[in-house]
Amino acid sequence: MNVVILVCRLAYVEAGAEAQGCQYYLNSIINPVPAQSHTTPNLPSLCLYGPMLDLEVVPERSLENEQWEFALGMPLAQAIAILQKHCRIIRNVQVLYSEQTPLCHDLILNLTQDGIKLLFDACNQRLKVIEVYDLSKVKLKYCGVHFNSQAIAPTIEQIDQSFGATHPGVYNAAEQLFHLNFRGLSFSFQLDSWNEAPKYEPNFAHGLASLQIPHGATVKRMYIYTGNSLQDTKAPAMPLACFLGNVFAECVDVLRDGTGPLGLRLRLLTAGCGPGVMADAKVRVLERCIYFGDSCQDVLSTLGSPHKVFYKSEDKMKIHSPSPHKQVPSKCNDYFLNYFTLGVDILFDATTHLVKKFVLHTNFPGHYNFNIYHRCDFKIPLTNKKGGADSQTEAATLTTYSKWDLIQEHIGHPMEKPVVLHRSSSANNSNPFRSTFCFGLQRMIFEVMQNNHIASVTLYGPPGRAAEAPAQAPAQ
Ligand SMILES: *[C@@H]1O[C@H](CO)[C@@H](O)[C@H](O)[C@H]1NC(C)=O
Ligand SMILES: *[C@@H]1O[C@H](CO)[C@@H](O)[C@H](O)[C@H]1NC(C)=O
């Protein structure tokens, strides 16, 4: 579980005009199937006889079977967890994202052997569109009845029969595809023979033409999304079924005074009131604040139990202490409470059990901790150091999506050189991810990626504490 390893960096250029010139990098989710098996000559035949996914299509909602469900609005981490759990059935998954401009293009999970793509909103990292791009690789049904399988071709007649009437198809001359749209569901048809196309040519006057789709045309692609238009669709709010008893953060505001951060105000989302009452469960929004100096018990009663408790190893920090060789007398270590679904870690002092640090995680792909935390959607008000005159103070806010060069324009450049963070996993000391740089300013440490995005922000309480590197992910 939980091994996302970048194995190869294949430059990939999307053909679509939208993404033109954008470089995607490709990595694979390594699963327990040994990597070598991908290159054995036996594999192609295994693929041929492997079980084909048999999935139910629910327009505007999901693609699912008895064991799992890819639901619109689902967080990326949950979709990856499904893929990891069922890695023997869903064998090849590519993760595609733009390394340099990760917010400009959807993050894509490509289930290459099943002909399915899951498109996630680049900002909120929730499932936006489910695309089946190769219908020969899956069986599909609607209301329990197949409309696509080895025996049933997904022709226009079949789709009419299974889904009923809708508006006439729309022809897109550029793609040479007919689109048939239902609410939350679209089919693209390709003509079987090109000689049929010219018949419709005179109608192209306005670029798009409403037409009867020719007989025998078969579905080339299918899309599931929210609303009436695939082009304008957005990832919906997280469905109730995705909460699974967890608390999520809609947004996190950093509270501060003139000198630096004081605490966090979290807008929390919960659902369900316990087992058995899911039927009338609904999402509740709660606002909670936590501050530096709060006790561990305060935090537990405010946020609930963490997903993990991680004890810092004393050894790493010893070198920075005045007498590194001196044996630490007690076995006490400072400890983190890791709230993965909030995207927040909280560090407690080993002896006082009071909050010492907060760490906010942005979950950008390509980072060492990618997919461990949900993205924390934070806002940090900045005090402007420019100009010097108090009257000139501009309100600026740093968010999860801010880039480091813009942040510096507001808060000035750090005096000290950055600390380079080159993480390594405990199992194997090689780190396939690029190093990050840590800059300290105004009692905050910004961990900056090579693409200028912020990977994490560590917030400190009252001054006087030694600077430390951001939290390590819990050891696996
Ligand atoms: C997904 O995988 C398929 C099969 O390997 C490939 O043809 C397609 O180009 C991939 N899609 C993207 C967006 O990379
Ligand atoms: C560590 O990683 C390298 C390169 O990825 C690999 O060759 C080596 O076998 C790995 N070692 C262990 C102990 O897993």
Side-chain angles (χ1 to χ4, degrees):
M1 295 283 287
N2 193 12
V3 213
V4 180
I5 295 181
L6 188 119
V7 277
C8 47
R9 290 176 64 212
L10 301 183
Y12 166 78
V13 182
E14 176 108 314
E18 235 180 61
Q20 226 157 45
C22 161
Q23 287 224 311
Y24 281 91
Y25 290 88
L26 182 65
N27 63 12
S28 299
I29 296 175
I30 304 298
N31 52 43
V33 178
Q36 302 89 287
S37 72
H38 292 303
T39 54
T40 60
N42 292 343
L43 196 66
S45 58
L46 283 175
C47 296
L48 275 180
Y49 301 114
M52 202 181 252
L53 295 181
D54 189 355
L55 302 170
E56 173 82 22
V57 172
V58 187
E60 244 193 326
R61 209 186 83 186
S62 65
L63 189 63
E64 61 184 61
N65 65 13
E66 291 77 16
Q67 284 108 51
W68 76 81
E69 174 182 46
F70 293 122
L72 297 174
M74 171 180 262
L76 174 68
Q78 274 180 30
I80 292 180
I82 291 173
L83 296 173
Q84 287 173 330
K85 184 164 174 203
H86 299 281
C87 61
R88 298 197 179 273
I89 298 159
I90 305 174
R91 275 163 307 191
N92 270 349
V93 179
Q94 300 172 336
V95 183
L96 297 117
Y97 58 92
S98 161
E99 193 179 53
Q100 287 312 311
T101 53
L103 296 174
C104 299
H105 304 278
D106 294 335
L107 192 152
I108 299 171
L109 299 181
N110 190 0
L111 286 54
T112 57
Q113 291 190 11
D114 307 292
I116 299 170
K117 269 196 315 202
L118 305 175
L119 287 80
F120 291 82
D121 183 288
C123 290
N124 61 38
Q125 301 191 327
R126 291 199 308 269
L127 184 55
K128 187 169 78 172
V129 175
I130 302 167
E131 177 183 338
V132 180
Y133 60 82
D134 188 346
L135 278 79
S136 70
K137 291 178 172 169
V138 277
K139 289 193 232 174
L140 298 171
K141 46 193 180 180
Y142 178 61
C143 296
V145 181
H146 282 111
F147 64 90
N148 175 61
S149 68
Q150 279 118 325
I152 304 168
T155 59
I156 178 62
E157 289 79 13
Q158 183 62 50
I159 299 300
D160 269 348
Q161 190 190 323
S162 300
F163 293 86
T166 186
H167 306 290
V170 174
Y171 186 70
N172 183 320
E175 298 174 313
Q176 296 188 309
L177 290 174
F178 285 94
H179 299 288
L180 190 66
N181 302 315
F182 298 84
R183 191 173 170 83
L185 182 71
S186 291
F187 294 96
S188 304
F189 292 85
Q190 199 166 36
L191 297 183
D192 273 347
S193 95
W194 292 113
N195 0 340
E196 290 196 55
K199 237 178 3 195
Y200 297 90
E201 208 76 60
N203 295 317
F204 295 158
H206 306 293
L208 296 174
S210 283
L211 301 161
Q212 281 311 114
I213 293 171
H215 290 290
T218 55
V219 176
K220 181 151 169 67
R221 287 197 281 268
M222 182 190 80
Y223 303 88
I224 303 172
Y225 54 92
T226 304
N228 271 323
S229 153
L230 177 61
Q231 276 68 43
D232 306 329
T233 193
K234 291 196 170 66
M238 200 168 68
L240 283 174
C242 292
F243 277 85
L244 305 168
N246 288 301
V247 178
F248 292 84
E250 194 174 60
C251 56
V252 174
D253 290 308
V254 173
L255 306 169
R256 61 168 298 162
D257 63 12
T259 67
L262 301 172
L264 306 178
R265 181 172 57 227
L266 303 107
R267 240 174 107 80
L268 302 175
L269 302 175
T270 66
C273 331
V277 281
M278 282 307 279
D280 30 271
K282 52 175 196 256
V283 177
R284 288 189 303 149
V285 183
L286 314 165
E287 212 166 86
R288 295 279 187 269
C289 294
I290 44 178
Y291 299 93
F292 292 110
D294 279 0
S295 71
C296 188
Q297 275 159 357
D298 289 340
V299 171
L300 289 173
S301 64
T302 307
L303 298 182
S305 19
H307 295 93
K308 227 169 198 167
V309 180
F310 175 70
Y311 288 86
K312 280 180 74 152
S313 73
E314 224 40 90
D315 299 345
K316 276 183 197 156
M317 301 320 298
K318 228 163 54 174
I319 196 158
H320 298 298
S321 76
S323 45
H325 48 273
K326 202 164 84 185
Q327 198 56 41
V328 181
S330 82
K331 286 227 166 72
C332 292
N333 290 343
D334 287 357
Y335 53 96
F336 283 103
L337 300 189
N338 305 123
Y339 289 92
F340 297 134
T341 54
L342 303 181
V344 174
D345 293 325
I346 305 171
L347 181 74
F348 289 88
D349 185 278
T351 47
T352 63
H353 303 282
L354 301 178
V355 175
K356 215 166 138 177
K357 277 200 235 179
F358 295 106
V359 188
L360 314 176
H361 298 271
T362 57
N363 197 40
F364 276 104
H367 185 262
Y368 183 78
N369 284 346
F370 177 60
N371 201 45
I372 290 179
Y373 297 88
H374 285 242
R375 174 166 285 169
C376 176
D377 199 343
F378 59 77
K379 291 190 178 64
I380 308 177
L382 298 176
T383 56
N384 194 343
K385 286 285 161 79
K386 233 174 8 183
D390 283 4
S391 56
Q392 264 203 327
T393 307
E394 287 167 41
T397 307
L398 187 168
T399 73
T400 308
Y401 310 104
S402 306
K403 289 186 143 189
W404 177 238
D405 46 8
L406 291 177
I407 296 166
Q408 286 182 97
E409 285 182 18
H410 286 285
I411 60 177
H413 296 267
M415 292 302 175
E416 288 163 27
K417 278 195 173 165
V419 173
V420 179
L421 203 59
H422 188 82
R423 292 178 159 104
S424 58
S425 70
S426 47
N428 189 337
N429 257 5
S430 63
N431 174 7
F433 300 97
R434 295 215 205 164
S435 336
T436 54
F437 299 89
C438 296
F439 300 90
L441 272 172
Q442 297 183 10
R443 286 187 8 227
M444 296 180 269
I445 292 184
F446 300 92
E447 183 193 353
V448 181
M449 299 173 67
Q450 311 250 357
N451 63 10
N452 220 347
H453 277 288
I454 307 292
S456 69
V457 183
T458 304
L459 310 170
Y460 287 86
R465 300 198 190 274
E468 291 165 24
Q472 293 284 333
Q476 296 312 307

